[in-house]
Amino acid sequence: MPPTTAELVHDRSLGDLLIHRDVVLDGLDAPQRAARTVLAEILDGKAEDHLFDAMLVAGELIANAIQHSSGAVLIRVEAYEFGAALGVVDRGADITAVPVRPSNSSVDEGTVAASGRGLFIVDSLASAWSVEEIENGKMVIAILPLAAGPRR
């Protein structure tokens, strides 16, 4: 079983925390663009070869917050020596609404689901991801390996 996001952060598998940044997305016309900007600033020179994956994961998490709740409120970006943690906060209180096992297809084998592919992408790119209840909502967190970082 792969490690949880909490285990990776708290057991120091990702190394020392280098940068922590919270960016408010609430009310922005282009929250994904704001997330891409902060990721480029934080990962520049540290993990440029993983920047596209980080931007894709952040974009999918923000899109899910927009589609399935009242919108993304905040993105938390933490860069560690060996990985990055991306957390998207929304006001949705139901953490059970986030599927435990995302899938890329519908119930029928021959068709593709109309939604659900975003978490499938996150699951494919992240070392671990989870959803946590927080005050006034939830946070979906994804851990991305950087050079020499922990992998599944």
Side-chain angles (χ1 to χ4, degrees), residues 17-106:
L17 177 64
L18 304 174
I19 299 170
H20 170 98
R21 179 119 15 112
D22 287 342
V23 177
V24 176
L25 303 174
D26 196 23
L28 295 181
D29 290 333
Q32 285 99 333
R33 186 176 350 165
R36 287 191 301 270
T37 300
V38 74
L39 285 167
E41 290 170 8
I42 289 174
L43 298 180
D44 182 44
K46 295 171 196 64
E48 291 160 346
D49 51 338
H50 298 281
L51 182 57
F52 178 76
D53 289 352
M55 289 181 174
L56 183 57
V57 167
E60 292 297 335
L61 294 178
I62 293 167
N64 282 347
I66 292 168
Q67 182 176 359
H68 300 292
S69 76
S70 62
V73 174
L74 178 134
I75 185 166
R76 172 169 290 161
V77 180
E78 294 180 338
Y80 295 85
E81 291 176 293
F82 307 117
L86 309 177
V88 173
V89 174
D90 66 49
R91 290 187 187 95
D94 185 8
I95 66 168
T96 64
V98 180
V100 176
R101 290 207 167 114
S103 137
N104 193 26
S105 64
S106 67

Side-chain angles (χ1 to χ4, degrees), residues 16 99 116 119 126 129 131 138 140:
D16 291 332
L119 280 178
W129 69 274
V131 60
K138 67 180 175 296
V140 181

Side-chain angles (χ1 to χ4, degrees), residues 64 98-109 111-124 129:
N64 282 347
V98 180
V100 176
R101 290 207 167 114
S103 137
N104 193 26
S105 64
S106 67
V107 177
D108 300 324
E109 287 185 25
T111 62
V112 176
S115 67
R117 291 183 298 276
L119 280 178
F120 179 79
I121 292 168
V122 170
D123 189 60
S124 298
W129 69 274

